[in-house]
């Protein structure tokens, strides 16, 4: 058995969290200098590594890996139409062993060490790429959500500015009618009016028609002909600056990693199974005791036969 048993090798890849430069593209620069942009969460190497480890247990990603690398025939060569994918995925999950004792690692046992080493390295690279794509997608979605929110705020401010301008035109129109009826052509000196009426200038509101129908008519014309309210909207330029900044961000997936390969899997020279020395040693000891037991047992049987014959 020690000579004929299939030789099993263990290949293992040792993994570490990614470095800061590996996730740098995810962390949008320049946010602190622009007020109002607090929605961008900084992604650390530890968080990226945690996402990588969570994805390792994803059955959908495991199935995608199997399909992309054509492993279905290798994992289930004798499958039938009744064979369910879930059974294949379960057997594959058992093949890929994840250990987190004294360091994170992914290992596999196989009688073909070259194939196993390549499979483990491909497995790590596949999930690294998928995790990066997921993180990039989340970052882009976060940016897009802020863009939509700012666009909504800008549209709302413009709508309200238009409404306020129309309201102002109505107020000026009424004041214009009153000024014409009172024959107030030019602006009235409000200080004189206040003094004559013994009013407190800090609490009195000067009627609009005191501007005179000449000035009111000119203001109404300008308000009606105004092409854009943007220069008169408070805070609009800040929002537009934020919007321009968000739209300028480009996240490049190349060069990004969610894991650092401390040691890639390689074909080992020494097998882990079978342990021929242990098998031969146990076989020798067990065989010796069984032989001694058999001798005593046979001797006992013979004595019983002699005693019975007498």
């Amino acid at each position: 058995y020690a000579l004929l048993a299939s030789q099993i090798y263990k290949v293992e890849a040792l993994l570490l969290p990614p470095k800061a430069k590996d996730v740098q593209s995810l962390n949008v620069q320049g946010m602190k200098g622009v007020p109002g942009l607090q929605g961008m969460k900084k992604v650390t190497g530890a968080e990226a590594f945690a996402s990588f480890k969570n994805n390792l247990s994803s059955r959908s990603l495991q199935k995608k890996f199997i399909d992309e690398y054509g492993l279905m025939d290798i994992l289930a060569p004798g499958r039938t139409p009744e064979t369910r994918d879930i059974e294949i995925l379960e057997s594959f999950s058992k093949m890929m062993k994840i250990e987190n004792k004294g360091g994170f690692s992914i290992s596999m046992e196989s009688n073909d060490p070259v194939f196993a080493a390549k499979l483990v390295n491909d497995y790590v690279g596949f999930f690294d790429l998928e995790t990066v794509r997921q993180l990039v997608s989340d970052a882009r979605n976060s940016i897009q959500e802020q863009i939509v929110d700012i666009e909504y705020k800008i549209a709302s401010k413009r709508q309200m500015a238009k409404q306020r301008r129309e309201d102002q035109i109505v107020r000026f129109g009424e004041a214009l009618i009153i000024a014409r009826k009172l024959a107030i052509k030019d602006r009235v000196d409000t200080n004189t009016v206040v003094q004559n009426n013994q009013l407190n200038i800090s609490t009195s509101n000067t009627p609009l028609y005191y501007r005179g129908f000449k000035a009111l008519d000119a203001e109404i014309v300008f308000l009606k002909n105004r092409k854009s309210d943007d220069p008169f909207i408070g805070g609009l330029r800040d929002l537009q600056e934020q919007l321009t900044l968000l739209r300028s961000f480009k996240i490049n997936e190349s060069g990004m990693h969610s894991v650092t390969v401390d040691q890639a899997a390689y074909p080992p020279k020494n097998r882990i199974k079978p342990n021929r020395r242990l098998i031969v040693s146990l076989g020798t000891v067990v065989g010796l005791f069984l032989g001694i037991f058999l001798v005593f047992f046979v001797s006992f049987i013979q004595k019983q036969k002699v005693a019975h014959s007498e």
Side-chain angles (χ1 to χ4, degrees), residues 53-71:
K53 290 190 285 187
N54 289 335
N55 285 337
L56 289 175
S57 60
S58 171
R59 289 296 173 87
S60 61
L61 289 179
Q62 289 176 355
K63 187 176 185 306
K64 184 178 179 181
F65 174 77
I66 292 172
D67 293 338
E68 286 190 5
Y69 284 83
L71 299 175

Side-chain angles (χ1 to χ4, degrees), residues 72 75-89:
M72 194 64 73
L75 296 174
R79 73 181 187 278
T80 63
E82 289 76 20
T83 305
R84 297 182 301 173
D85 290 344
I86 187 65
E87 296 173 354
I88 300 174
L89 288 175

Side-chain angles (χ1 to χ4, degrees), residues 245-259:
L245 181 61
L246 286 171
R247 286 174 173 169
S248 67
F249 291 139
K250 304 295 181 184
I251 302 177
N252 189 7
E253 294 181 7
S254 62
M256 290 179 54
H257 295 283
S258 60
V259 62

Side-chain angles (χ1 to χ4, degrees), residues 217-232:
D217 186 50
E219 290 190 66
I220 291 173
V221 171
F222 275 99
L223 287 173
K224 288 182 177 180
N225 294 332
R226 180 182 293 173
K227 294 182 179 180
S228 175
D229 293 315
D230 288 4
F232 306 92

